[in-house]
Amino acid sequence: MSASASANVPAPAASASAAAPIETAIPDEAASAAPTPALPTGEPELSRFHGALRELGRGGRKAHVRILWLGDSHGQADFWTGAMRDVLQKRFGKAGPGFVHVGWKQYRHDGVRLSTEDKWTIRPKVPAASSRTGDGVFGLGGLVTTGPAGSGRARVNVTDEGLASRLSWDVCYRLRSADDEFEVSLGSGPKTKIRTTATEPPGELRHLLLVSEGRETLQVTPTRGNPELCGVVIETDPAERPGVVLDTLGINGARFGTPLAWDEASFGAELARRKPSLVVLEYGTNEAGDVAVDPVKYTQRLVRLVERIRRFAPDTDCLALAPTDRADTRARTPLVRDAIREGARQAGCSFWDTYAVMGGEGSIRAWAAESPARAAGDGVHLTQRGYRDLGEALATHVLRGLPP
């Protein structure tokens, strides 16, 4: 889905046709291996996240409460995630859009207008792949972008009128050779030229921090070689007022194996930089179409992913979501749901049964028959209204137990 697409257009298709080669690329423990032990938390599933929100609500917190949403096309569209962000920010403070891709046309984000000039490309070519591509270094969002030197420009314009305070712009980039170079600017401000130096040799993920007084437009222009952009994080200044940020990291066609295929150290460093209080795992719709894969593997992969996340963000809570209903996988979707629920139990994560909330088997067709429809005609995706309804319901779930 492009940034300029109508809000009622469904998210990109969840390409189940590539399921077999993608799924078999991920090694799993043998079926006879001992069960993975539960990860100890010593406290209720969302207690640390709730504690951060309570502290924020009573004015005792000096940092933003951050949520990272890893998932598939349902999350990439930023309707489901956007609705949840809206509810939490209205109650606890609007702290910005969070992570935003730069130069990726198949992407949208609430409160932000994205545009490019000339042809930008992404790496890896198949961002949803569950097997390692190259060195696996793709930043926080699982892909990097680059445009042609001289003619390629990418812009990120904050359009949310509720963001009038100072904004920080944390630009992630990678220069893979000494020939790579780009310019970056905010609004009518000066251009900053980024190139390799003796103290910053090529190859590492780097960050450039910029500040604007209120809403502004970030412009990035490659000037030489093939510099790579791995996104920008846009937040308000927590010194003025901390609030809630929700990073949308959904990728069309992604599965649990997708983030497991990324380079652990580089992704972990980006994760640690964000310091999330909650990580949401929204997978399963594509797995429901992978009929040759035993659903127990999804239990194992969820646990492995949570173990990896907690190595770099040990204080984060986690929330696993069941898949949405899908018209062509009526018998298999509940099996995938049960596997994810078991993985959440073993990993010490909260679990939200999206499938049951929708109404169970056949609900996606029922949602599509409504007027206005809450599901798309493809039997896989929802409309903006359907995603917004799920987002509001999920926000109610994660706020359960907090004082009004």
Side-chain angles (χ1 to χ4, degrees):
M1 178 184 295
S2 67
S4 60
S6 168
N8 289 318
V9 177
S15 184
S17 61
I22 288 177
E23 286 300 302
T24 54
I26 289 292
D28 282 297
E29 298 175 2
S32 59
T36 304
L39 299 176
T41 60
E43 49 192 348
E45 295 155 346
L46 295 179
S47 62
R48 286 169 289 198
F49 175 60
H50 284 172
L53 290 178
R54 287 192 187 95
E55 187 181 21
L56 185 62
R58 63 174 179 259
R61 186 177 174 89
K62 304 302 181 185
H64 296 317
V65 175
R66 298 184 178 95
I67 303 167
L68 265 63
W69 182 298
L70 291 163
D72 52 31
S73 57
H74 295 316
Q76 182 179 321
D78 198 35
F79 296 135
W80 189 352
T81 49
M84 182 173 172
R85 184 188 300 114
D86 286 346
V87 171
L88 296 178
Q89 289 189 341
K90 284 177 182 177
R91 178 166 171 180
F92 294 100
K94 181 174 288 190
F99 178 88
V100 177
H101 285 287
V102 179
W104 187 23
K105 290 186 177 181
Q106 302 301 317
Y107 174 74
R108 71 166 299 281
H109 195 293
D110 278 359
V112 175
R113 181 182 298 114
L114 307 171
S115 62
T116 60
E117 293 180 13
D118 215 327
K119 184 178 180 180
W120 281 65
T121 58
I122 63 172
R123 189 175 64 84
K125 290 184 178 180
V126 182
S130 293
S131 56
R132 175 65 67 92
T133 301
D135 60 9
V137 177
F138 306 120
L140 185 68
L143 63 89
V144 294
T145 61
T146 188
S151 59
R153 291 179 180 84
R155 297 182 182 91
V156 178
N157 172 227
V158 175
T159 59
D160 186 344
E161 296 182 355
L163 295 172
S165 60
R166 178 179 299 176
L167 294 177
S168 67
W169 304 69
D170 184 351
V171 182
C172 175
Y173 64 92
R174 188 185 190 197
L175 307 180
R176 305 185 76 189
S177 79
D179 294 329
D180 295 340
E181 181 183 272
F182 68 95
E183 291 180 342
V184 59
S185 61
L186 274 177
S188 59
K191 295 179 180 179
T192 301
K193 184 163 290 188
I194 304 298
R195 59 168 66 97
T196 59
T197 66
T199 57
E200 292 188 349
E204 300 291 327
L205 292 182
R206 305 286 183 186
H207 290 262
L208 173 67
L209 298 179
L210 301 171
V211 175
S212 67
E213 297 299 330
R215 296 182 291 121
E216 200 46 274
T217 298
L218 176 80
Q219 177 171 292
V220 178
T221 306
T223 52
R224 194 175 66 189
N226 295 287
E228 295 182 335
L229 280 298
C230 40
V232 57
V233 171
I234 310 168
E235 294 183 339
T236 60
D237 185 350
E240 294 184 4
R241 183 191 175 187
V244 172
V245 181
L246 193 157
D247 291 344
T248 303
L249 308 175
I251 295 176
N252 178 34
R255 296 159 168 83
F256 283 108
T258 301
L260 288 171
W262 302 337
D263 176 68
E264 180 175 351
S266 62
F267 173 70
E270 296 300 299
L271 184 67
R273 186 181 181 89
R274 294 301 289 141
K275 297 182 176 64
S277 295
L278 177 66
V279 175
V280 180
L281 303 177
E282 178 266 304
Y283 297 106
T285 299
N286 293 300
E287 285 89 341
D290 297 336
V291 296
V293 181
D294 185 344
V296 73
K297 294 184 183 295
Y298 308 138
T299 298
Q300 298 167 355
R301 291 173 196 176
L302 188 155
V303 173
R304 287 172 55 201
L305 182 54
V306 173
E307 287 174 336
R308 176 173 295 189
I309 289 168
R310 285 188 172 140
R311 276 196 285 274
F312 298 94
D315 295 327
T316 189
D317 286 331
C318 54
L319 168 63
L321 309 185
T324 56
D325 184 40
R326 182 169 158 169
D328 59 344
T329 61
R330 298 177 67 139
R332 183 171 164 83
T333 296
L335 303 179
V336 175
R337 182 267 313 269
D338 294 345
I340 292 173
R341 177 163 48 197
E342 174 58 18
R345 185 195 66 79
Q346 292 185 23
C349 298
S350 179
F351 173 76
W352 195 65
D353 196 342
T354 318
Y355 179 69
V357 169
M358 286 186 64
E361 183 179 345
S363 57
I364 195 165
R365 288 302 190 202
W367 280 34
E370 294 175 353
S371 182
R374 286 192 290 170
D378 64 1
V380 176
H381 297 96
L382 310 183
T383 62
Q384 180 184 359
R385 176 172 176 251
Y387 283 125
R388 298 286 185 195
D389 283 356
L390 284 186
E392 292 173 2
L394 181 57
T396 299
H397 169 78
V398 300
L399 294 177
R400 187 177 303 155
L402 289 175

